[in-house]
Amino acid sequence: MKTLLSSLLAVGTAAALSLGAATTAQADDPVKAAFLYVGPVSDHGWTYAHDQARLAMEAELGDAVETTFLESVSEGADAVRALERLARSGNDIIFATSFGYMESVGEVAERFPDVKFEHATGYQSADNFANYNGHFYEGRYILGKIAGLETETNTIGYIASYAIPEVISGINAFMLGAQSVNPDIEVKIIWVNTWYDPPREAEAANALIDQGADILVQHTDSTAQLQAAQERGVRGFGNDSDMGAFAPDAQLTAIVNNWTPYYIDRVRAIADGTWETGSSMGSMESGMVQMAPFANMSDETKAVAEETMAGIIAGEIHPFAGPVFNQAGEEVVAEGEVAALDMILSMNFYVQGIDDAYPN
């Protein structure tokens, strides 16, 4: 749309311009990229990581890109209105960064066929609607190993957001990692039904500590659980970014999401006209999934964590390597096989050993 509009303006206002000159001007136009965030950019978790990538992309591409963002936009009707606003504002590409935006992106993308839409952690696509994700379960498998080796009570507290496949597969990968080094491990789960609510996350953290958990895990976006761990003298893991500054004595490590290369590649594809729809999946091997420094743990545990990370990167370790059994004791991944990516991305069961009812 922008190319057509630019051409019409060139013809209407300066007929003497050659076609070659107009083409050069269009090529110099910056790509307008917008980001839709479910939380505040200051959450130091999920949204913070996306926004840091936006800023890094600006630094890399300079005048070739203009970016904007909307933060703390609720999933559902608010997301539809925000996406429409961004599409009407002349953005060439819009990145929607929460699983719960998926249906809204599909709805708005259909009405704006000349705008490219990208949705994080979903699975739908269309001609102008791509999706992207990462193997975050790889990091959670490492967290499980660390927790299994470092716990003294054998009780881990897990603060979960929503019962979507990404969160379920994360819980399962964590449990499999923990069980691989400590068969007596117990994981207590509290569902807070929010991505970002620091008071509620802190309340859940304190409740889990009161139940005997000496290590906390989170699949939410704020630093509240780690700060609660620091205050109560237990340890835990950051999520989506290195949260160590908020709990220097408590953070064992954190899964760090590096979205920067992906955003640079996709905006460049808009600029050079090579953007295509589809599904993209990053991993620990590709660098999208990283780990914060291993700290506040024994040298033996740190060595295991480093070896596990190296094994995952080399393709020698897979968190869902068979045999894997569900809670009912049924084999869901056979020995000698690994879970198919489709199974992981649509996971709707707990693995054996999780003593908690599967959430409806």
Side-chain angles (χ1 to χ4, degrees):
M1 175 181 291
K2 186 176 67 178
T3 301
L4 175 60
L5 179 59
S6 299
S7 298
L8 290 173
L9 288 173
V11 170
T13 60
L17 288 176
S18 68
L19 178 60
T23 302
T24 301
Q26 291 155 18
D28 290 340
D29 288 344
V31 174
K32 296 185 69 174
F35 292 76
L36 189 64
Y37 298 144
V38 72
V41 296
S42 59
D43 70 358
H44 286 279
W46 179 261
T47 295
Y48 174 80
H50 283 284
D51 201 58
Q52 289 297 298
R54 178 186 68 83
L55 294 171
M57 178 185 68
E58 280 189 335
E60 174 69 19
L61 300 182
D63 294 339
V65 64
E66 290 179 1
T67 74
T68 187
F69 67 86
L70 297 174
E71 61 183 330
S72 301
V73 177
S74 300
E75 297 160 349
D78 286 351
V80 171
R81 285 190 287 269
L83 288 163
E84 288 178 334
R85 174 182 163 188
L86 293 172
R88 290 196 179 98
S89 299
N91 286 291
D92 301 293
I93 185 168
I94 300 172
F95 297 96
T97 63
S98 182
F99 176 84
Y101 290 155
M102 183 166 61
E103 299 296 336
S104 300
V105 173
E107 177 182 338
V108 177
E110 190 171 350
R111 293 203 289 269
F112 294 88
D114 296 324
V115 179
K116 304 298 187 292
F117 293 80
E118 300 240 5
H119 176 239
T121 72
Y123 51 83
Q124 294 182 4
S125 62
D127 288 346
N128 63 328
F129 172 14
N131 62 71
Y132 58 107
N133 205 340
H135 293 178
F136 301 112
Y137 58 88
E138 295 175 338
R140 292 194 176 270
Y141 184 76
I142 297 173
L143 304 189
K145 287 212 171 192
I146 294 171
L149 291 170
E150 287 293 310
T151 180
E152 296 178 359
T153 65
N154 285 335
T155 301
I156 310 299
Y158 205 116
I159 302 166
S161 50
Y162 296 102
I164 61 175
E166 175 192 343
V167 178
I168 297 297
S169 65
I171 293 171
N172 286 339
F174 176 88
M175 187 61 171
L176 292 171
Q179 288 174 333
S180 72
V181 296
N182 185 346
D184 299 322
I185 204 78
E186 179 184 11
V187 178
K188 294 181 180 293
I189 303 169
I190 290 182
W191 293 92
V192 292
N193 295 312
T194 180
W195 291 114
Y196 179 79
D197 188 334
R200 194 184 302 181
E201 294 169 64
E203 181 181 4
N206 282 303
L208 290 164
I209 295 170
D210 290 340
Q211 294 174 45
D214 62 350
I215 293 179
L216 301 179
V217 195
Q218 68 179 99
H219 204 140
T220 51
D221 295 349
S222 87
T223 61
Q225 70 89 16
L226 259 184
Q227 291 174 295
Q230 174 92 8
E231 292 172 3
R232 296 287 299 273
V234 301
R235 293 172 292 172
F237 301 100
N239 192 41
D240 301 321
S241 73
D242 186 350
M243 299 178 172
F246 296 89
D249 301 323
Q251 180 175 280
L252 291 156
T253 185
I255 300 171
V256 177
N257 307 342
N258 178 19
W259 303 101
T260 302
Y262 182 79
Y263 288 147
I264 290 174
D265 287 347
R266 300 304 274 172
V267 167
R268 278 180 171 155
I270 293 289
D272 61 23
T274 61
W275 187 95
E276 293 182 348
T277 187
S279 299
S280 179
M281 185 65 67
S283 66
M284 196 162 276
E285 189 275 334
S286 74
M288 180 179 280
V289 183
Q290 302 178 354
M291 303 300 294
F294 300 118
N296 300 312
M297 65 184 72
S298 70
D299 291 342
E300 292 77 12
T301 299
K302 181 179 178 181
V304 170
E306 291 174 339
E307 290 168 4
T308 304
M309 183 169 64
I312 291 173
I313 291 172
E316 298 166 351
I317 295 175
H318 193 292
F320 291 100
V324 176
F325 299 90
N326 62 18
Q327 278 185 305
E330 300 163 335
E331 187 179 76
V332 291
V333 181
E335 187 168 3
E337 298 182 0
V338 300
L341 186 58
D342 285 349
M343 170 188 275
I344 297 171
L345 297 180
S346 61
M347 198 161 276
N348 60 357
F349 62 86
Y350 279 152
V351 296
Q352 195 172 48
I354 295 179
D355 187 19
D356 193 42
Y358 187 81
N360 293 318

